Amino acid sequence: MTTDEPPAYDAVVLAGGAARRLGGVDKPGLRVGGRALLDRVLAACAGAGSTVVVADPRPTARPVTWAREEPHGGGPLPALAAGLRHVTAEHAVVLSADLPFLGAPTVGRLLSALAAGDADGVLLSDADGRDQPLVAAYRTAALRRALAALAPGRPDPPELSGLPLRRLTGALRLDRVPDALASFDCDTWEDIATARARIREHGHVLDEWISAAKDELGIDLDVDTKVLLDLARDAAHGVARPAAPLTTFLVGYAAAHAGGGPEAVAEAARKAVDLAARWAAENAEPGTAPDSSPDA
């Protein structure tokens, strides 16, 4: 592992809350940008060695381990204790299931900051400077010690039920990373509407659509979208407008046939761009009649 790489980690996602301010709906299942909030969070921690979701099982975009706190609805501390029983890594990323703008780079920043210092955990702070302990990376041993101190001698202590998270975080040495966007969570219908509106803004909509499409199609592939957009533009302008979607489809098919991967996509796109350029250049050349002289 180089110094630039975040350390290995497991993830614990707390997804069993009552969502009272949303009228008790299934908050983790609410969709933002076509994807369930829970699936968006799972994508952000896809680099985890194992991921534990504390909630009743449901279909998810990738496999996870399911756990449940006792008693059900006992709050974040029993849920965290239930999730930690499945964690084996030295570092644990702890997340709520309602973070529409959390991404893998932010998870990496938290882990790198934790590894670089001596704190028990590193958490995000929101736009108002408030701590967000459910968007954080912790040293697993420190979490276990703090939980055990709240309820000594009990492996699944009912004493944790109903206790606020600050009882735990107050016993830990924590560093903070400010990030107003990644720490944005959806507690109200207004928050949901804000999140849905933002991902449709011009600067975000393509990335959001591509992420949603990859999840839906079961594709885990990062490609240079600019190359594909340039290809679509060249095919549309140099050939005909319907050539743009058809050509990009053929590029994807060719890349899959060649074994897949970003390199295969880039090579197929390069060939198609060259073809579109030749096609356009040929159409731009002045026409000449074939030479019909006897010496031809």
Side-chain angles (χ1 to χ4, degrees):
M1 184 180 75
T2 69
T3 55
D4 294 331
E5 292 177 338
Y9 71 99
D10 290 340
V12 177
V13 181
L14 307 188
R20 292 182 179 85
R21 286 196 279 173
L22 285 165
V25 300
D26 173 25
K27 182 166 67 168
L30 290 176
R31 294 186 178 273
V32 173
R35 291 189 290 164
L37 284 171
L38 175 57
D39 283 336
R40 297 178 73 92
V41 172
L42 292 179
C45 61
S50 66
T51 300
V52 186
V53 179
V54 185
D56 291 328
R58 66 175 69 221
T60 52
R62 67 180 182 87
V64 301
T65 298
W66 296 96
R68 205 66 171 99
E69 77 276 15
E70 291 294 341
H72 285 17
L77 291 186
L80 179 56
L84 281 177
R85 286 201 296 272
H86 300 273
V87 170
T88 60
E90 180 182 351
H91 300 92
V93 169
V94 178
L95 305 168
S96 62
D98 60 350
L99 302 164
F101 304 125
L102 181 68
T106 300
V107 172
R109 286 172 58 210
L110 290 169
L111 287 162
S112 294
L114 181 62
D118 59 359
D120 296 323
V122 178
L123 48 78
L124 290 191
S125 56
D126 65 16
D128 297 318
R130 293 173 298 198
D131 287 352
Q132 299 296 318
L134 297 184
V135 201
Y138 298 96
R139 300 187 195 279
T140 305
L143 281 181
R144 289 190 170 122
R145 283 196 303 269
L147 284 169
L150 290 174
R154 302 289 294 275
D156 196 10
E159 289 90 346
L160 294 177
S161 182
L163 292 181
L165 265 174
R166 64 177 176 272
R167 290 287 300 276
L168 177 75
T169 56
L172 299 172
R173 294 176 297 112
L174 300 174
D175 289 337
R176 279 86 178 164
V177 173
D179 193 324
L181 183 61
S183 63
F184 181 90
D185 56 1
C186 293
D187 289 329
T188 67
W189 286 112
E190 182 181 0
D191 294 336
I192 294 290
T194 297
R196 287 172 172 170
R198 185 184 185 278
I199 65 168
R200 286 170 171 78
E201 294 173 358
H202 177 71
H204 310 286
V205 65
L206 277 181
D207 287 342
E208 289 288 348
W209 168 251
I210 290 167
S211 294
K214 288 195 298 186
D215 274 3
E216 193 71 17
L217 298 173
I219 298 171
D220 184 15
L221 177 67
D222 290 325
V223 296
D224 189 339
T225 55
K226 183 178 183 302
V227 167
L228 296 179
L229 291 173
D230 288 347
L231 166 61
R233 178 202 62 205
D234 293 345
H237 292 173
V239 184
R241 290 183 66 85
L246 293 173
T247 305
T248 51
F249 164 77
L250 292 172
V251 163
Y253 186 88
H257 190 67
E263 296 82 4
V265 174
E267 177 62 13
R270 182 192 63 77
K271 291 179 178 179
V273 167
D274 290 346
L275 174 61
R278 295 197 303 271
W279 187 292
E282 181 180 312
N283 287 343
E285 292 174 355
T288 56
D291 190 344
S292 58
S293 67
D295 296 331

